[in-house]
Every structure is written in structure tokens, then in C-alpha cells.
Amino acid sequence: MALQHQTMSRSAQRAYDDQAPSEDGEALAERIDALIEQYRANPAKVAEADQWMSGTLSEGAYAGIESMFADIGDRIPPTGKILGSDLESLPQPVIDKIAAVAREASASRSVYLRDLAEAAANSESRFAPEAAA
């Protein structure tokens, strides 16, 4: 249900953006890239992107998450306090799982940060002439 709403919202936004006048393509692309970098440093924007991407990773990624948490859990001492040295003994296959899932999650978050930045940049360029008038 959420995925359907999300897809419909993104499609509607893109259709609206296609109708609106836009600034020079290169300048707009630079503005979008700058916004993405600002958003990566903004915990609220990252959380917003994470909320949109929730549930969108591949089935293999979710299996990897469960598996790596189990592997990490095996190394947590009975006290429950984790020290860096407790995780230093992770075998390479576990580290590989973590890296693979992290890359997929990062790519997914990047898509949503770009969507947010494109919407903001298009909105700014659409209303900039009105503000100057």
C-alpha cells in the first residue's frame, strides 16, 4: 500500500515538474547536486529519505540484515556491553554481508534524496521569477 502511494506521488510530482518551466538544465543539475550534499548532512532530510525507502530493499538485503545481526549478536558478550574489540573478530563473510547491504541501502537512500532535491530545486526555479516580480 505504501509503495503504491509512494509511486503515485512520485509520478504525480514528475508530471507536474514536466509541465513547469525550468531553468537551464546544467544549472538545475548543479543545484540538485548541491542540495543532495546539503541533505546528506541534514539528519531530518536523511530520516525523511529513510522513511520513504523503508521496505524497498531487495529480499536478499533483508535476509542479509537478519543474518548479519545474528552473526553480530553471536559476538555480544553476556553483559550486553559491546566494545570495539568484540566486533573486531567478525569474519570476512559477515563484513561482506554488511558491506553489500550497506551499499544497497545507500543507493536507495540516494534515490530518495535526489527526489527530494529535484522537487525542491524545481519548486525554487518555478517560483523564483514570481519572487523577483
Side-chain angles (χ1 to χ4, degrees):
M1 179 76 163
L3 184 58
Q4 181 182 10
H5 170 71
Q6 175 182 348
T7 302
M8 289 171 45
S9 295
R10 289 175 67 191
S11 295
Q13 179 65 46
R14 286 198 174 112
Y16 180 76
D17 291 344
D18 289 343
Q19 295 172 6
S22 64
E23 64 184 87
D24 174 62
E26 187 174 326
L28 181 60
E30 289 174 4
R31 177 70 183 135
I32 289 168
D33 289 343
L35 281 171
I36 291 169
E37 290 310 308
Q38 289 175 11
Y39 290 174
R40 284 186 194 286
N42 180 331
K45 288 295 184 183
V46 169
E48 184 178 351
D50 287 351
Q51 182 179 6
W52 278 103
M53 75 171 215
S54 179
T56 64
L57 298 179
S58 70
E59 187 176 319
Y62 288 110
I65 290 169
E66 292 167 354
S67 176
M68 74 179 160
F69 278 137
D71 290 338
I72 291 169
D74 289 344
R75 287 169 173 64
I76 296 175
T79 63
K81 295 186 181 205
I82 303 170
L83 303 173
S85 60
D86 293 325
L87 299 179
E88 289 175 358
S89 64
L90 286 175
Q92 190 60 45
V94 174
I95 293 169
D96 292 344
K97 284 185 218 173
I98 293 169
V101 172
R103 281 191 293 273
E104 185 173 336
S106 175
S108 183
R109 178 190 283 163
S110 293
V111 167
Y112 291 100
L113 288 174
R114 177 163 295 281
D115 286 348
L116 292 170
E118 285 176 353
N122 285 328
S123 177
E124 288 171 6
S125 68
R126 186 176 303 110
F127 295 113
E130 292 175 12

